[in-house]
Amino acid sequence: MKVAFITLGCRVNSYESEAMAEKFIKAGYEDVKPEEKADVYVINTCTVTNMGDRKSRQMISKAKKLNPNAVIAVVGCYSQVEPDKVASIDGVDIVLGTKNKGDIVEYLNTYMTKKEQIVNVKDVFRDKKFEDLKIEEYQDRTRAFLKIQDGCNRFCSYCLIPYARGGICSKEPEQVMEEIHKLAGHGFKEIILSGIHIASYGADLKNGWDLVRVVEEIEKIDGIERVRIGSIDPTFFSDDVIEKIKKMKKLCPHFHLSLQSGCSETLKRMNRHYTAEDYMNIVNKLRQNIKDVSITTDVIVGFPGETEEEFNETFEFLKKIKLSKTHIFKYSKREGTKAADMKEQVPGTIKDFRSNKLIELNNKNEKAFISKFIGCKMDVLFETNFENNDDLYEGYTANYVKVVANSNENISGNILTVKIEEAKEDYLYGHIMQ
């Protein structure tokens, strides 16, 4: 029996798909690529945007075409918020939400016996326990994602994630440390801590643990050379936190601080918990205290009520702050959110114009940031071949700059020093030092 996973959305979904795939493999299934013919297709969905919903439906249709007799299981955020709609799609046999993915093989066995559609979506606001989906066997040996937190209590006016994931919940610190020791034993050099709102890690545990303490404990583990934090709320970086992390040896100087808008009035309508000035101050403090720190972000254009003046504030803000990379998203109306009912929805043509303008600015800022390292020596964790070239390898620096270098031997999984010679559009090229 063959199983294929189609994963949409964030890194948390990717982690959970890998954990579910491992459960299938232990049950005797062969994990195949999503474009191959399989007996079971698991579609791990996203609902952040309308496009996420649309892609989820497209993937269901695609799986059914690949094998009309296959069992289709739909899990994740889209099925959590729209279980009835998902269940009504032709060909869907199993519908699970975001809380019971760990039991997917058992649900499949039940379906195979009874041949009756299964819909089991739990109330995420009642079931606040962290679902401990573990990965025991890893295929990769360079960077490992580790989900340590789930849920969100922020309720941004454009976002459905709190309704899909529920309130905040954290993985017990003993389990976090146990899993990291295993990863070290498997030969991993870098750990990426991830979650839906990872800055809130430990707030529900009441045992004194927080995200800073997790990193402090990882610093003591032999074999792990880098710790990277996934996307994080900028308000996490208080003066006290910055004072602690600047002393850390393994914490990567790269932080993805979600901005969403450089205009405080827009941020207020988004129900973000900071102003543009707050964000600027946090970035400045990080730059003052952490050498070569890289700050990346997300920005939404065309949020309801965003005037030309407000957009220009965002543009000038990004022009001034010069972040190392900005991901631009056009606002997508999500039914069930406060923003969907707001007046003054911005036309698509204006969103396109504003998006293109910020993309052009990002390209300049990104090139300027990476160009600063020409002539420098940088430690790079190499991962894989670059563009299928056997003599070129690509990897990332601690501050998350992609570097390409020549090598006659397989250097995947190794941290090597590279002398940077040239800056391309979005990566650096150099030669490996002896």
Side-chain angles (χ1 to χ4, degrees):
M1 296 284 284
K2 296 179 179 181
V3 61
F5 281 80
I6 300 171
T7 305
L8 303 168
C10 64
R11 286 175 174 175
V12 171
N13 267 10
S14 298
Y15 177 89
E16 292 173 344
S17 286
E18 190 168 347
M20 287 188 285
E22 188 172 289
K23 290 180 179 294
F24 274 95
I25 291 168
K26 288 182 177 179
Y29 284 78
E30 178 188 355
D31 184 16
V32 300
K33 294 179 180 179
E35 62 269 18
E36 295 182 35
K37 184 177 180 180
D39 302 288
V40 180
Y41 289 94
V42 180
I43 299 157
N44 196 356
T45 61
C46 174
T47 193
V48 169
T49 64
N50 281 325
M51 182 61 72
D53 289 358
R54 193 178 309 126
K55 283 184 177 179
S56 298
R57 294 191 294 269
Q58 289 171 350
M59 291 304 103
I60 294 168
S61 176
K62 180 180 177 181
K64 205 62 184 175
K65 288 178 182 176
L66 285 168
N67 184 4
N69 298 317
V71 178
I72 307 292
V74 184
V75 305
C77 294
Y78 179 41
S79 52
Q80 179 69 46
V81 298
E82 299 278 8
D84 294 337
K85 186 177 290 186
V86 172
S88 68
I89 298 172
D90 183 47
V92 173
D93 303 301
I94 300 170
V95 181
L96 306 178
T98 57
K99 286 292 184 180
N100 45 5
K101 295 177 180 179
D103 300 322
I104 189 166
V105 175
E106 287 76 9
Y107 284 111
L108 176 66
N109 292 338
T110 301
Y111 174 80
M112 298 292 278
T113 301
K114 297 184 177 180
K115 297 294 182 183
E116 295 176 356
Q117 187 185 56
I118 296 173
V119 180
N120 193 332
V121 177
K122 295 182 179 180
D123 185 340
V124 291
F125 292 105
R126 290 187 178 182
D127 184 5
K128 295 184 178 182
K129 186 179 178 181
F130 185 87
E131 183 177 24
D132 192 18
L133 273 169
K134 288 184 179 180
I135 301 173
E136 301 287 347
E137 299 293 333
Y138 289 82
Q139 303 303 315
D140 189 13
R141 286 293 181 274
T142 53
R143 299 190 294 155
F145 289 92
L146 178 58
K147 175 189 168 187
I148 66 170
Q149 185 276 335
D150 206 342
C152 181
N153 294 347
R154 290 299 174 118
F155 291 93
C156 297
S157 61
Y158 54 82
C159 186
L160 277 177
I161 292 302
Y163 303 98
R165 290 280 180 171
I168 58 171
C169 53
S170 307
K171 190 180 183 111
E172 291 291 341
E174 296 79 12
Q175 294 174 326
V176 173
M177 292 303 122
E178 178 187 350
E179 196 160 352
I180 290 172
H181 277 286
K182 286 182 179 179
L183 291 168
H186 279 295
F188 284 94
K189 301 266 195 321
E190 181 176 316
I191 304 295
I192 303 169
L193 302 175
S194 62
I196 298 301
H197 189 262
I198 197 170
S200 66
Y201 177 85
D204 57 313
L205 297 179
K206 299 178 182 178
N207 58 8
W209 279 76
D210 60 10
L211 184 59
V212 171
R213 185 172 173 186
V214 170
V215 178
E216 287 174 338
E217 292 301 314
I218 298 174
E219 291 250 323
K220 303 172 186 176
I221 299 175
D222 291 336
I224 303 299
E225 298 187 36
R226 292 180 178 179
V227 184
R228 197 179 298 278
I229 299 173
S231 179
I232 191 164
D233 192 295
T235 58
F236 169 75
F237 291 99
S238 64
D239 290 347
D240 180 58
V241 166
I242 293 174
E243 195 63 30
K244 289 177 180 178
I245 66 173
K246 75 177 185 180
K247 301 171 185 176
M248 296 177 178
K249 304 296 185 185
K250 296 182 179 180
L251 181 63
C252 290
H254 163 239
F255 305 108
H256 187 85
L257 309 185
S258 191
L259 172 62
Q260 307 305 3
S261 176
C263 171
S264 294
E265 281 301 312
T266 310
L267 289 171
K268 186 176 180 180
R269 291 199 304 280
M270 289 178 168
N271 196 33
R272 302 293 287 179
H273 297 258
Y274 53 84
T275 64
E277 184 181 7
D278 293 334
Y279 189 98
M280 178 74 78
N281 289 337
I282 291 164
V283 169
N284 287 338
K285 287 178 183 178
L286 287 169
R287 286 172 171 169
Q288 290 161 10
N289 286 276
I290 300 174
K291 186 175 181 290
D292 294 333
V293 67
S294 170
I295 309 293
T296 57
T297 197
D298 301 316
V299 168
I300 298 172
V301 296
F303 188 76
E306 184 186 62
T307 62
E308 185 175 352
E309 289 75 15
E310 288 184 349
F311 170 73
N312 286 335
E313 274 192 51
T314 294
F315 180 84
E316 292 301 323
F317 181 88
L318 292 171
K319 189 176 177 180
K320 181 180 179 181
I321 201 170
K322 292 183 171 63
L323 300 177
S324 54
K325 190 175 184 66
T326 304
H327 301 273
I328 314 299
F329 299 91
K330 289 175 277 191
Y331 169 73
S332 176
K333 188 176 181 180
R334 304 297 295 117
E335 295 300 331
T337 64
K338 287 184 178 180
D341 297 325
M342 289 180 179
K343 296 178 180 179
E344 300 177 2
Q345 296 286 328
V346 178
T349 52
I350 294 178
K351 292 180 191 176
D352 290 340
F353 173 80
R354 292 175 181 176
S355 174
N356 291 335
K357 190 172 180 180
L358 290 191
I359 289 171
E360 184 179 349
L361 176 62
N362 168 69
N363 293 340
K364 292 179 182 177
N365 287 342
E366 186 175 4
K367 184 69 177 290
F369 177 77
I370 66 174
S371 295
K372 293 190 301 183
F373 301 104
I374 295 173
C376 296
K377 296 175 183 178
M378 306 184 80
D379 290 336
V380 180
L381 174 55
F382 285 96
E383 298 183 7
T384 186
N385 288 111
F386 177 68
E387 296 182 349
N388 298 317
N389 189 320
D390 291 339
D391 296 324
L392 286 175
Y393 283 82
E394 65 176 73
Y396 287 87
T397 62
N399 61 351
Y400 209 63
V401 176
K402 185 160 81 171
V403 175
V404 175
N406 287 84
S407 177
N408 295 324
E409 57 186 79
N410 188 344
I411 55 174
S412 298
N414 293 313
I415 296 179
L416 302 171
T417 302
V418 177
K419 178 72 176 291
I420 304 301
E421 298 173 351
E422 186 180 0
K424 303 290 187 179
E425 288 303 314
D426 59 352
Y427 69 89
L428 296 171
Y429 175 81
H431 70 268
I432 297 169
M433 308 287 289
Q434 291 294 329

